[in-house]
Amino acid sequence: MSESSAEAVVAATANAAGAAGAAGWRRAGIAGAAIGVLAAGAAAGVAVERLTVGRGMRKKARLALDATGPYGSLRGTPGRAVADDGTELYYEVDEVEVAPATPDESASSGTRRRRLFGRKAPAPVTVVFSHGYCLGQDSWHFQRAALRGLVRAVYWDQRSHGRSGRGRSQADGVPVGIDQLGRDLKAVIDAAAPEGPLVLAGHSMGGMTMMALADQYPALIRDRVAAVALIGTSSGKLGEVNFGLPTAGVNAVRRVLPGVLKALGSQAELVEKGRRATADLFAGLIKRYSFGSRDVDPAVARFAERLIEATPIDVVAEFYPAFTEHDKSGALPGFRDVPVLILAGDKDLVTPSSHSEAIADVLPDAELVIVPDAGHLVMLEHPETVTDRLADLLVRSGTVPAANVGGHGSTAQQPGR
């Protein structure tokens, strides 16, 4: 998109926001227009598609893609944690599959239990997966499919996302911040993994959540965390990201976007109608900012759309300011004494790979992996690479034996396992 077109988008967006305030968002069409101009960067590609494919056909294609592969269908044992403000946080646990003991093993273990005089076995290692902004626990689908049964894992939905409740503090007008998310993660750990070693894995906002946990609960990191995976995330300076736009355009976007999002969030019902009416533009925008390669599996791209579409516009508006304020570089040294994986896509426009490199500068012993031809949703776009490096991290940290991981680095043949 050229600088002049970017400026036009900004102007149109600002005008739409102003019109919304003056007219009270009387018609869904106005909301749709505001959303549409935000998606203008993808409009050219969509316009070409419109020349050859009718709206009805595109709708049928989306429905067909929704039925292709059970992405996001994996479920575990459900549970709920309660945050410090009373918000209910939904999580699921995948337990380790234990092979039935042979008679000889049963006898041996029985003798051992008698020798231990009733003392219980040590708690297993638990891998806790934290998802990113506008996503949910199902964004880890491929990694979950590959690692299922090999390690105890907890997948949770951040407040106001997925199956978790809307943030109670936010309902009272309290801005959401990354520190709050760190406390939420602590509540989930207390409920789902109160004992035993932990491996923390986070994507984007999920990685920031882990940094906030380390900042507020350094003893927990020191005493229980065995390894850390930071995927497509940032320790700060997100206000400097240009999202692939020209400098003049991105500066103008920064000036008006908070106000636009606030206006959109205040009229959520109408905006959601407009959002559905401009689904094609949204699809193009989501693809541009989620993936780096052109040949992404259409079913995976549609899966990403569904995850993002499920996040209400008022939640999108609610969380956005927290990222410009986010700065947890001072918390990173808390991870220095454990194996760390830092991974990012080389074409990530949301949290550029330079932010991962900055984290690696603070954690020089960490493994830094920059995945070629990958965007922000690298764990969906290149699942084999991400799963392989996570599996290696688990082996390096002693979480699972190397023999158990073999053959689980690829999810290509088992999308719904």
Side-chain angles (χ1 to χ4, degrees):
M1 184 163 56
S2 68
E3 184 167 326
S4 59
S5 62
E7 291 171 342
V9 169
V10 172
T13 304
N15 291 338
W25 293 93
R26 291 188 184 91
R27 297 188 305 274
I30 297 177
I35 293 292
V37 294
L38 285 172
V46 173
V48 172
E49 180 191 9
R50 285 177 186 272
L51 293 176
T52 55
V53 184
R55 175 175 291 182
M57 185 64 72
R58 291 194 301 275
K59 183 176 180 180
K60 288 180 180 179
R62 284 195 292 270
L63 291 174
L65 289 172
D66 288 347
T68 303
Y71 300 136
S73 64
L74 300 177
R75 301 270 66 90
T77 303
R80 292 191 182 274
V82 180
D84 56 7
D85 66 346
T87 300
E88 284 196 349
L89 305 169
Y90 178 83
Y91 65 84
E92 294 180 357
V93 181
D94 286 357
E95 298 289 357
V96 179
E97 294 175 0
V98 180
T102 65
D104 289 343
E105 289 172 335
S106 297
S108 173
S109 63
T111 301
R112 178 173 175 76
R113 280 196 293 272
R114 284 196 294 273
R115 286 202 303 267
L116 290 174
F117 296 103
R119 281 186 291 157
K120 63 181 180 180
V125 176
T126 300
V127 185
V128 182
F129 287 86
S130 301
H131 69 79
Y133 179 47
C134 297
L135 297 171
Q137 62 173 269
D138 290 341
S139 61
W140 297 106
H141 174 85
F142 290 107
Q143 291 68 47
R144 188 172 189 170
L147 298 176
R148 207 168 206 194
L150 296 179
V151 65
R152 186 176 192 268
V154 172
Y155 302 86
W156 68 293
D157 292 325
Q158 302 246 26
R159 65 172 50 218
S160 303
H161 290 70
R163 295 171 177 83
S164 285
R166 287 299 305 270
R168 289 198 176 182
S169 293
Q170 286 66 62
D172 295 332
V174 178
V176 68
I178 302 299
D179 284 339
Q180 176 65 69
L181 305 185
R183 296 194 296 275
D184 290 352
L185 176 54
K186 176 62 162 55
V188 170
I189 291 171
D190 288 346
E195 297 179 316
L198 301 168
V199 174
L200 303 178
H203 168 249
S204 191
M205 182 176 75
M208 302 174 206
T209 299
M210 290 160 47
M211 296 174 204
L213 179 77
D215 193 32
Q216 298 172 91
Y217 304 98
L220 173 69
I221 305 300
R222 182 182 64 246
D223 298 341
R224 295 187 57 194
V225 173
V228 170
L230 298 165
I231 300 173
T233 191
S234 171
S235 60
K237 297 185 178 180
L238 285 169
E240 299 176 5
V241 175
N242 65 16
F243 303 105
L245 297 171
T247 301
V250 77
N251 287 340
V253 167
R254 288 192 186 115
R255 286 196 300 271
V256 303
L257 189 56
V260 170
L261 286 175
K262 186 175 181 180
L264 296 175
S266 68
Q267 299 292 331
E269 184 176 350
L270 289 176
V271 173
E272 292 301 337
K273 291 180 181 178
R275 203 174 176 185
R276 290 191 293 272
T278 56
D280 294 332
L281 288 173
F282 264 111
L285 187 66
I286 288 169
K287 187 172 182 180
R288 170 173 168 74
Y289 284 101
S290 297
F291 305 109
S293 54
R294 294 184 177 181
D295 57 349
V296 178
D297 181 343
V300 171
R302 176 59 189 154
F303 175 47
E305 289 173 37
R306 295 204 320 265
L307 287 172
I308 295 171
E309 288 168 355
T311 308
I313 190 66
D314 47 341
V315 174
V316 176
E318 205 168 76
F319 274 70
Y320 178 79
F323 302 116
T324 57
E325 299 167 3
H326 166 62
D327 182 0
K328 290 297 180 213
S329 55
L332 293 176
F335 297 138
R336 279 180 176 164
D337 295 331
V338 298
V340 176
L341 167 67
I342 304 168
L343 185 147
D346 69 339
K347 295 181 180 177
D348 191 334
L349 298 176
V350 180
T351 51
S353 58
S354 59
H355 287 237
S356 288
E357 292 168 351
I359 294 173
D361 288 341
V362 181
L363 302 173
D365 293 330
E367 178 187 19
L368 174 63
V369 179
I370 306 299
V371 182
D373 208 26
H376 190 56
L377 299 189
V378 60
M379 69 283 187
L380 293 178
E381 186 173 13
H382 295 283
E384 295 88 351
T385 300
V386 175
T387 303
D388 177 73
R389 300 326 306 150
L390 280 174
D392 182 73
L393 178 70
L394 296 178
V395 171
R396 286 192 288 123
S397 64
T399 301
V400 297
N404 285 354
V405 176
H408 289 270
S410 173
T411 59
Q413 303 302 318
Q414 48 180 348
R417 175 172 172 265

